[in-house]
Amino acid sequence: TELRLEGANLTGPLDPEIGTLTMLTSLRLHDNAFTGNLPTEIGNLVNLQDLRLEVNEFSGMIPSEVGRLVNLADLRVETNSFNQTIPSEIGLLNSLVRFEMQHNLISGQIPSQIANLATLEILYCFDNFLSGALPNNVGQLQALRELQCHMNRFDNVGRPGLSGNLPRSLGELPNLQIL
């Protein structure tokens, strides 16, 4: 079951009642003007395979309840105003293939639990305020094809004003095509 309301000029906060639509496999609300926090009830949508929230005005944090969406293959939250850290529960999404969170205000470190995402092929986290170092265990993401993490504040991603090295484990990624 799909709910597709992309580009429908919807505004305001997303109603927590969205969490009652537990049979949804696809929720596409991108290209609207939703504001405020993403309701924690989003974690009730355990059948979701596709969650597309990009190009809205969501702020606050990506709720840890997202970690309950274990069937999720595609998670896109880019081009919003999320401004907290990435919840470690992201590492529970063992079906995730694509995770896009670029163009936000996300801070802190990429949690090491990201290495649990054995099926992850695409990770875009550029243009945020991520800091620290890329997790050393990133080399466990054997399916990873694309990793774009520029325009952040990482210690180990070369750019003017920063120093350090990329994790050696990046060299262990047999499918990596874009870095």
Side-chain angles (χ1 to χ4, degrees):
T1 307
E2 296 183 354
L3 179 58
R4 297 183 65 165
L5 296 171
E6 62 262 33
N9 297 316
L10 300 172
T11 62
L14 182 59
D15 192 317
E17 291 296 313
I18 195 77
T20 64
L21 304 175
T22 57
M23 296 308 293
L24 284 180
T25 58
S26 179
L27 178 59
R28 294 185 177 197
L29 301 176
H30 55 89
D31 297 295
N32 283 293
F34 285 109
T35 59
N37 293 329
L38 187 59
T40 58
E41 290 82 0
I42 204 85
N44 296 339
L45 306 179
V46 295
N47 292 304
L48 276 185
Q49 298 169 10
D50 178 28
L51 178 57
R52 303 225 4 222
L53 303 172
E54 70 267 26
V55 193
N56 276 289
E57 298 170 23
F58 287 114
S59 59
M61 61 184 273
I62 299 169
S64 60
E65 288 80 3
V66 167
R68 289 192 233 144
L69 307 178
V70 295
N71 295 305
L72 202 59
D74 190 351
L75 175 58
R76 300 188 203 185
V77 296
E78 74 267 17
T79 316
N80 277 286
S81 294
F82 289 112
N83 59 10
Q84 302 288 319
T85 59
I86 302 166
S88 60
E89 289 82 1
I90 286 292
L92 300 173
L93 303 178
N94 55 12
S95 298
L96 199 61
V97 173
R98 181 181 200 112
F99 183 22
E100 296 191 27
M101 59 179 152
Q102 69 270 20
H103 304 301
N104 275 287
L105 306 168
I106 299 170
S107 60
Q109 297 185 358
I110 294 179
S112 61
Q113 291 86 347
I114 201 108
N116 297 338
L117 305 177
T119 58
L120 190 66
E121 295 179 11
I122 297 171
L123 176 59
Y124 295 162
C125 58
F126 59 90
D127 193 18
N128 278 290
F129 293 97
L130 295 168
S131 60
L134 287 175
N136 284 328
N137 60 358
V138 73
Q140 294 175 21
L141 298 172
Q142 293 293 299
L144 195 65
R145 292 185 296 113
E146 299 182 23
L147 172 61
Q148 294 195 30
C149 57
H150 54 286
M151 296 173 59
N152 278 292
R153 298 179 176 174
F154 291 119
D155 296 338
N156 59 355
V157 177
R159 75 170 199 196
L162 297 177
S163 63
N165 298 310
L166 292 170
R168 285 186 182 265
S169 63
L170 281 175
E172 300 167 14
L173 299 174
N175 299 305
L176 190 63
Q177 299 170 4
I178 298 175
L179 175 62

